[in-house]
Amino acid sequence: MLSALERFAPLPLQESWDNAGLQVGLTEAEVSGALLCLDVNEKIVDEAVAKGCNLIVSHHPLLFRGLKQISDADYVQRCVIKAIKHDIVVVSMHTNMDNALDGVNWKIAEHLGLKDTAFFAQKMVEDIEAGNGVIGSLPVPMVADDFILLVKKQFGVECAMCNELLRRPIQRVAICGGAGDFLLGDALVQGADAFITGEMHYHQYFGYEQRLQICVIGHYQSEQFTSEIFRDIILRECPGVRIEMAETCTNPVYYL
């Protein structure tokens, strides 16, 4: 199972600060069921236990940096204890899946119905084609307010943070799930009319008026379909494994 995921999104594709791959547990165990999710918290581990799954596959790693103790001091340590207690393996596919061909940003493009998709900010890692973002075209040009409504509908968001509405049709759309403001300049160079990401710093909104329609939809919301990628890999490569899509919403941000 782990090897199938890593063939699709090899670990060398992850950013230098990341910690993708095996998080907790022993990989030799036979998989009783795989719970697929965006984040790992205590409710996710509880859901895995309740559903008889001894494997959790997440997008965001549970462990970003080393632990100096394993106690009940915070949710990360408590998750490690609970996973080990219940013989649950935790695996995370993070920026390696962001940067992979047909990875996170390609899935976002699919849900938007973009055509002719390709990497932008492309790079080669050990002869593997990769990229930080994806760009594609809407089937027909759209005015900015209709485009924003489309994005909100497709991602089920209550609101989108945008700069002023573009006063020309939008067709070329650049995408970077999660925190993607570092790609704004690349999106312009690639001829994008709009740029969708999960979160951005305040000052990054300045200077793109009537050059690029910015649409920020929330980190969780932008990457919510990543589990569909995990599901498809497992169905194709490990067809006998039972798959459960997590029902627990792990988004820590509330819109009140």
Side-chain angles (χ1 to χ4, degrees):
M1 173 81 67
L2 180 57
S3 60
L5 292 166
E6 291 183 1
R7 281 195 299 272
F8 185 94
L11 291 181
L13 296 185
Q14 71 179 309
E15 303 296 335
S16 60
W17 48 264
D18 200 8
N19 186 41
L22 179 66
Q23 306 284 293
V24 178
L26 305 175
T27 58
E28 293 81 6
E30 182 176 350
V31 179
S32 63
L35 182 68
L36 314 182
C37 58
L38 193 68
D39 309 284
V40 181
N41 61 16
E42 291 170 274
K43 290 182 179 180
I44 285 289
V45 181
D46 288 339
E47 184 176 344
V49 173
K51 292 181 174 178
C53 296
N54 65 349
L55 173 65
I56 295 172
V57 181
S58 71
H59 181 43
H60 296 138
L62 174 64
L63 304 174
F64 268 109
R65 53 189 62 86
L67 297 177
K68 293 187 177 181
Q69 65 178 22
I70 300 179
S71 68
D72 62 353
D74 56 48
Y75 86 92
V76 172
Q77 295 178 58
R78 292 193 294 270
C79 283
V80 171
I81 292 171
K82 187 172 289 189
I84 292 173
K85 179 179 179 180
H86 292 280
D87 295 319
I88 293 173
V89 175
V90 180
V91 171
S92 302
M93 297 283 111
H94 191 211
T95 53
N96 54 322
M97 189 62 74
D98 289 332
N99 294 333
L101 180 66
D102 293 326
V104 174
N105 295 311
W106 299 80
K107 179 60 68 172
I108 297 171
E110 176 187 319
H111 277 268
L112 280 172
L114 299 188
K115 309 296 183 184
D116 303 318
T117 48
F119 281 124
F120 76 100
Q122 189 172 9
K123 55 188 177 182
M124 295 294 292
V125 180
E126 297 184 4
D127 297 323
I128 304 169
E129 183 184 11
N132 291 120
V134 164
I135 190 167
S137 297
L138 294 164
V140 295
M142 303 181 72
V143 296
D145 49 356
D146 286 345
F147 172 73
I148 301 301
L149 288 174
L150 171 69
V151 173
K152 290 174 64 176
K153 177 183 177 182
Q154 294 304 106
F155 291 86
V157 300
E158 301 170 31
C159 62
M161 297 176 66
C162 308
N163 59 348
E164 69 177 24
L165 293 181
L166 202 64
R167 293 191 293 272
R168 70 168 192 270
I170 291 172
Q171 187 159 28
R172 292 282 283 169
V173 180
I175 294 165
C176 181
D181 55 12
F182 67 101
L183 287 178
L184 279 165
D186 295 282
L188 273 179
V189 169
Q190 293 297 319
D193 302 306
F195 179 72
I196 298 172
T197 190
E199 58 179 289
M200 270 180 44
H201 291 89
Y202 171 78
H203 292 284
Q204 290 295 96
Y205 287 86
F206 289 102
Y208 291 93
E209 297 83 1
Q210 299 310 312
R211 302 173 70 202
L212 186 68
Q213 181 65 67
I214 295 170
C215 183
V216 180
I217 61 176
H219 198 124
Y220 179 95
Q221 291 88 340
S222 71
E223 298 181 327
Q224 63 184 292
F225 302 116
T226 303
S227 293
E228 295 177 5
I229 306 172
F230 301 151
R231 177 198 62 199
D232 294 344
I233 295 169
I234 296 169
L235 285 173
R236 183 175 62 249
E237 301 292 336
C238 311
V241 173
R242 178 169 60 90
I243 297 170
E244 298 283 352
M245 304 292 275
E247 298 176 68
T248 302
C249 176
T250 57
N251 188 3
V253 180
Y254 288 76
Y255 298 85
L256 305 176

